[in-house]
Amino acid sequence: MGSRPPGLLFLTSLLHIWHCAGGQGSYTIDTVLLTIEPRNTVQSGTAVRLRCQVSVSHSNIPNLIHSFQLTRDDVPIYTKNATEDTVEYAINPARAADSGNYECRVSVKNKAKASNSQKLDVKGLQTPTLHLTTLTPYENEEFKATCSAPEEKGPLIFQFYLRFRTGSPKVIKQLSQGGNSSTATLRLSHIGNCILYCDYEIRLVSGNQKSNSSKEAELIVKALHITPVINILPSNNLSEGDIIEVVCRVVTPPSNTEVFLTKDKVILKQVRAAALSHKFTVREDDSGELVCKAEWGSVQKETSQRITVRSLFSKPQLTVEPTDVVEGDHFKLTCSVTIHDSNEIEKKTMQYSIFKDNTEVANTTTYFTVAQLSASGNYTCNATSHSLTRTIVKESQKYVVKVKVPVSEPVLSVVGGTLFLGKPFLLSCYSQRGTLPINYTLYQPRIPNDVKVVSKPGEKAIFNLTSITQISDIKNILCHATNSRLKPPMAGTGEQLLKWSNIIEPVSKPHLTTEPRMEDISEGYNMTLVCSVQSGSFPINFTWYSTRKGFLDYKISWKLKESHSISNVKGDHAGGYYCQCTNPANKTKRSAIIIIGVKMAGWKKGLIAVFCLLFLMAIVLFLFYKKRLPKLKTRRTGTLSVKAASTKVGRLSLIQAEVNEAANATPGMMGKSIWSEHVSGSESDDNCSTNTPEKREPQYSEVQLRQADPSRGVQEVADAASVEYAELNHDTNHQSDPSDHGYHSDPSNHGYHIANDDQPNDNSVSINCADDRE
């Protein structure tokens, strides 16, 4: 019973390990406390201890790790990981450099907390000490001075002071080093007694602190008598070719003294002794200062004298004619001098030599040759004068002769190979042969000249041209290439551009015409729209448009003119048309719009003319018959007479049935008299009635009816009868004005009314004929 199964023990151990690892524990950092012992302000050299203590609450987490970090002025100075809740950091002894604001930061796993900041102020600095390598230096002799504060911590700034017995001190050296000591190299030029001392400063975040001064050191600066004496024999005024001797001497020098003879910073001679002597033959350019210098250690003293050398003849001068040497031309080199003292030098005794690349090519004053490429090189000449006492040789300045290869004819080309008229482009001008540099000048009409200088092999002159609008302007372009002022320039012309470049000329504004002419276009015929341009590079794209229908046709052509045909023109083809042209220049040009009117076809015109003619004839016939019809009807119908009636009221009625009978009479019948009398009173008739205000005597009229035409209707017969009757009534009423008689027709009743208005109150007669169909 006291033992457990092995498996259960294994599981328990794993659970304990996982729990100890903190997989389930929780924690919180309560406080972090930083203290400074014995106190926050101490004297320099005091032992100081910083204590950082943390308080953590957790749920039974064993061996909890605390990460401590101490910082001074936010700079870490100490770190430690511990299971304890307290760490200490000792500063022993504390110095001024340890002053600052301290802070303790504790991290537990992924949580951290910092303490309040504590300030430590260390008062006082150590007094520095001064050490010198010598107390009796010579004037300007270098020696070492070391100022140190071994107990202090850097960074320290050391300063060295010099003070004489009378006067205030001055800083002669200041050094900033990270250590607690500094060594300076000093050199004193004042001869006599002086005092040296030093101090230092420390820079803290809270401010700078300065130390006390070191003990003073008294020095005695001794004079060093090494100033040399210089002698020039035979004289300071000399002629070129003279031999002189220069002597430099130092009186009672210390050991290891060096003596130098220099001219223009060039050492002529040097010895480690008390004196030196130097002989040499003077030349024209030896005029100047001779310096004698004595050196001991870092101390130097010098003396100088000036010599003047008189020139007997000038330095030879080498000239070349012509100055520009071109391949294949002759050129001449001449060596000449100017004699300054004819008593010393005779011109006829002068000897000359001409050298090319240090090889003599002539021993005369003049050298002629033909310019070849191999003639290029560095040329000099020598002039030699011999006398009993001296020999003088002078050399001229080096003259570089470069035989120029003449330029070849420049070639003009368009950069990129294609020139678009009307657009800016780059023009290249290049000569395959010719010595560099080559000057290229571009000439254009109405534009200032442009110059390019080419100095690199293979480089071309590139000119930026704004634009050229016409091919003829290209022919006027000219490029000159030259590398010599003595040779005429070589010219390249615009003809080369026309020959070797791809020139794209934009199309001109197109012109649209028609075939046949616009005024001759009729229905049923064919019409051709011809689009043409005056100029432009091929291929040219032609496009035709209608303002009503839009796009019509598109053609690519190698000609300046193309056409689009429209078959069987109709009326709806009338309207505006235009064309557009473009080519590889990518500039589209559009023609003006032309308005086309389509004429009617000839047969339609003839048909309309015939119709109009027939219509006019019909109108004429209609008007003619309308005017003559009443007379024709009078001839065809019988004479209708109405005799005078009495003033009494009467009633005359033309019976419709009788009229119908007359209309339907036998064709052979020539006429018939119809009489009808109705006396007014109580009698009435269904077809005709006459109303009078007073009873009057009846009047009778005889109506003659001609044979009726069967093809004529009743209406026509009635019309004729009424017309005849009206005329008759007019004649029988004393030839009265027709305006006094009324003739009224009522088509709706097919009746006719004839009224006599001579006496409207007493003698009105009315004949009313009503249609039997009512």
Side-chain angles (χ1 to χ4, degrees):
M1 235 178 120
S3 62
R4 294 183 180 179
L8 183 59
L9 291 174
F10 177 72
L11 293 175
T12 304
S13 301
L14 289 178
L15 181 62
H16 178 70
I17 293 172
W18 177 73
H19 183 73
C20 291
Q24 292 292 339
S26 59
Y27 62 94
T28 180
I29 301 175
D30 299 327
T31 58
V32 177
L33 179 64
L34 175 65
T35 58
I36 300 177
E37 297 176 355
R39 53 191 171 274
N40 289 63
T41 302
V42 296
Q43 289 296 321
S44 178
T46 305
V48 176
R49 184 172 62 251
L50 302 178
R51 179 186 297 236
C52 182
Q53 185 176 8
V54 63
S55 175
V56 180
S57 299
H58 58 87
S59 58
N60 194 22
I61 302 176
N63 302 322
L64 194 62
I65 302 299
H66 309 94
S67 297
F68 294 89
Q69 183 185 62
L70 285 175
T71 60
R72 180 179 64 237
D73 298 327
D74 294 332
V75 178
I77 60 173
Y78 177 74
T79 58
K80 184 179 180 181
N81 295 328
T83 58
E84 296 82 7
D85 60 357
T86 303
V87 296
E88 291 184 354
Y89 175 70
I91 306 175
N92 187 19
R95 299 298 180 186
D98 296 321
S99 299
N101 295 314
Y102 288 83
E103 187 178 272
C104 180
R105 185 177 184 84
V106 180
S107 300
V108 178
K109 294 186 178 181
N110 58 349
K111 294 183 179 181
K113 194 168 187 178
S115 68
N116 291 331
S117 178
Q118 295 289 334
K119 183 177 181 181
L120 175 62
D121 189 7
V122 180
K123 299 293 186 180
L125 290 173
Q126 181 186 5
T127 300
T129 59
L130 177 64
H131 176 72
L132 301 176
T133 56
T134 180
L135 294 176
T136 58
Y138 283 102
E139 57 175 323
N140 293 320
E141 179 187 3
E142 291 182 351
F143 62 96
K144 304 291 184 181
T146 301
C147 186
S148 63
E151 295 181 359
E152 291 296 336
K153 303 173 184 178
L156 305 178
I157 301 174
F158 293 92
Q159 293 175 324
F160 296 86
Y161 299 86
L162 173 66
R163 181 174 62 84
F164 298 100
R165 291 191 181 276
T166 59
S168 58
K170 64 178 182 179
V171 178
I172 59 174
K173 186 80 74 171
Q174 177 174 302
L175 300 175
S176 177
Q177 296 182 354
N180 51 15
S181 67
S182 179
T183 300
T185 300
L186 304 178
R187 186 174 63 245
L188 303 177
S189 60
H190 180 78
I191 299 173
N193 295 338
C194 61
I195 295 173
L196 285 177
Y197 65 91
C198 71
D199 63 15
Y200 64 91
E201 284 185 0
I202 182 171
R203 293 181 179 178
L204 304 174
V205 175
S206 59
N208 293 353
Q209 293 186 23
K210 191 169 186 178
S211 70
N212 296 326
S213 298
S214 66
K215 290 182 178 181
E216 294 181 346
E218 186 173 355
L219 284 77
I220 299 175
V221 180
K222 299 182 296 182
L224 183 61
H225 300 286
I226 60 172
T227 302
V229 178
I230 183 171
N231 294 315
I232 301 175
L233 301 173
S235 172
N236 288 25
N237 295 320
L238 307 167
S239 295
E240 57 180 340
D242 291 343
I243 299 174
I244 66 171
E245 180 181 7
V246 181
V247 178
C248 290
R249 180 183 297 109
V250 178
V251 180
T252 63
S255 60
N256 298 325
T257 299
E258 291 184 280
V259 181
F260 299 86
L261 177 63
T262 66
K263 182 181 182 298
D264 298 332
K265 298 182 181 181
V266 177
I267 297 176
L268 302 179
K269 193 172 183 180
Q270 177 264 338
V271 296
R272 190 178 290 271
L276 66 75
S277 176
H278 178 60
K279 289 183 178 182
F280 63 96
T281 300
V282 295
R283 297 174 300 177
E284 178 184 5
D285 53 359
D286 285 335
S287 295
E289 294 282 342
L290 289 174
V291 179
C292 189
K293 181 185 292 185
E295 181 177 282
W296 181 77
S298 60
V299 180
Q300 293 182 352
K301 292 189 176 183
E302 62 183 37
T303 303
S304 65
Q305 282 192 25
R306 184 175 184 83
I307 63 172
T308 303
V309 180
R310 182 169 55 94
S311 174
L312 300 179
F313 62 93
S314 66
K315 181 179 288 189
Q317 185 175 10
L318 183 64
T319 59
V320 178
E321 295 179 2
T323 54
D324 280 345
V325 181
V326 181
E327 183 182 18
D329 293 348
H330 288 81
F331 72 98
K332 179 178 69 172
L333 289 89
T334 303
C335 186
S336 62
V337 297
T338 301
I339 296 176
H340 300 147
D341 190 345
S342 59
N343 295 326
E344 295 285 344
I345 301 295
E346 293 184 5
K347 191 171 185 179
K348 61 182 180 179
T349 62
M350 299 292 297
Q351 295 180 355
Y352 300 91
S353 298
I354 298 177
F355 298 85
K356 174 183 177 292
D357 298 331
N358 299 323
T359 301
E360 187 178 20
V361 295
N363 55 5
T364 60
T365 58
T366 305
Y367 173 64
F368 290 93
T369 186
V370 177
Q372 302 293 336
L373 292 180
S374 59
S376 299
N378 299 324
Y379 287 83
T380 59
C381 76
N382 290 349
T384 305
S385 173
H386 295 281
S387 66
L388 295 176
T389 57
R390 63 174 66 88
T391 298
I392 303 173
V393 178
K394 292 185 179 181
E395 185 179 15
S396 69
Q397 294 286 342
K398 181 174 61 176
Y399 193 102
V400 179
V401 174
K402 188 174 183 180
V403 178
K404 293 183 178 180
V405 177
V407 295
S408 60
E409 179 181 339
V411 176
L412 292 175
S413 62
V414 177
V415 176
T418 302
L419 189 158
F420 293 91
L421 293 183
K423 293 184 179 180
F425 65 96
L426 296 178
L427 180 66
S428 168
C429 186
Y430 176 64
S431 294
Q432 292 185 344
R433 295 181 69 253
T435 301
L436 299 174
I438 299 176
N439 295 334
Y440 294 92
T441 305
L442 184 69
Y443 299 90
Q444 295 183 80
R446 302 177 300 279
I447 297 178
N449 300 339
D450 193 3
V451 179
K452 302 287 183 182
V453 179
V454 172
S455 303
K456 298 179 181 179
E459 184 181 4
K460 299 180 180 180
I462 304 299
F463 298 93
N464 189 359
L465 278 70
T466 54
S467 64
I468 291 179
T469 57
Q470 299 179 0
I471 294 181
S472 59
D473 292 339
I474 298 177
K475 299 179 180 179
N476 296 327
I477 295 177
L478 189 65
C479 180
H480 281 177
T482 180
N483 62 353
S484 174
R485 293 172 296 177
L486 305 178
K487 293 288 185 179
M490 300 298 291
T493 63
E495 296 288 346
Q496 298 171 348
L497 290 178
L498 299 176
K499 183 177 180 181
W500 302 110
S501 299
N502 182 22
I503 300 177
I504 303 298
E505 181 182 8
V507 293
S508 60
K509 184 175 181 179
H511 180 62
L512 184 63
T513 58
T514 62
E515 294 179 359
R517 296 180 303 173
M518 288 189 292
E519 57 269 22
D520 297 334
I521 297 175
S522 300
E523 288 182 329
Y525 292 91
N526 296 336
M527 176 180 68
T528 300
L529 300 174
V530 180
C531 187
S532 61
V533 294
Q534 295 295 326
S535 60
S537 298
F538 301 120
I540 300 176
N541 302 330
F542 293 88
T543 309
W544 290 266
Y545 295 90
S546 167
T547 56
R548 293 174 56 188
K549 300 180 181 180
F551 172 79
L552 297 177
D553 195 6
Y554 172 82
K555 289 183 180 180
I556 300 177
S557 176
W558 292 86
K559 299 183 295 184
L560 296 176
K561 180 171 68 174
E562 276 296 342
S563 60
H564 167 67
S565 298
I566 300 176
S567 302
N568 192 17
V569 175
K570 299 179 181 179
D572 59 357
H573 286 122
Y577 291 86
Y578 64 93
C579 67
Q580 287 184 352
C581 295
T582 184
N583 66 349
N586 291 327
K587 280 191 175 182
T588 301
K589 299 293 182 66
R590 174 175 168 174
S591 71
I593 297 177
I594 62 172
I595 305 300
I596 296 177
V598 178
K599 294 182 178 180
M600 189 177 298
W603 66 270
K604 288 186 178 181
K605 292 181 181 179
L607 184 61
I608 292 175
V610 171
F611 176 79
C612 291
L613 183 60
L614 294 176
F615 181 73
L616 290 175
M617 293 177 62
I619 292 175
V620 171
L621 292 175
F622 173 76
L623 295 177
F624 176 79
Y625 280 107
K626 182 177 181 181
K627 182 177 181 181
R628 302 294 298 174
L629 184 61
K631 295 180 180 181
L632 293 175
K633 289 183 178 180
T634 303
R635 293 193 187 109
R636 292 177 182 178
T637 56
T639 301
L640 178 62
S641 60
V642 179
K643 296 182 178 181
S646 65
T647 59
K648 295 182 179 182
V649 178
R651 180 181 178 192
L652 179 62
S653 176
L654 181 63
I655 309 281
Q656 180 69 32
E658 295 176 352
V659 174
N660 292 335
E661 181 181 357
N664 296 324
T666 305
M669 183 177 180
M670 297 298 297
K672 184 179 180 180
S673 297
I674 301 175
W675 297 93
S676 176
E677 178 185 9
H678 296 275
V679 180
S680 62
S682 61
E683 295 180 16
S684 63
D685 193 288
D686 294 335
N687 295 324
C688 298
S689 64
T690 301
N691 297 323
T692 59
E694 296 179 2
K695 185 176 181 181
R696 312 178 78 176
E697 288 294 330
Q699 300 293 326
Y700 298 94
S701 298
E702 181 179 359
V703 179
Q704 297 293 331
L705 298 178
R706 299 182 62 183
Q707 182 179 353
D709 188 351
S711 61
R712 298 175 60 192
V714 177
Q715 180 67 36
E716 187 176 351
V717 174
D719 290 343
S722 60
V723 171
E724 293 293 336
Y725 186 81
E727 293 178 354
L728 180 61
N729 187 35
H730 174 72
D731 294 336
T732 58
N733 283 286
H734 305 287
Q735 303 296 323
S736 63
D737 191 349
S739 61
D740 295 334
H741 299 76
Y743 168 64
H744 306 284
S745 173
D746 187 0
S748 61
N749 295 328
H750 300 281
Y752 301 87
H753 175 263
I754 301 175
N756 187 351
D757 294 332
D758 289 343
Q759 296 176 353
N761 294 329
D762 299 331
N763 300 320
S764 63
V765 178
S766 63
I767 300 176
N768 294 326
C769 297
D771 193 345
D772 286 340
R773 289 174 294 179
E774 296 182 357

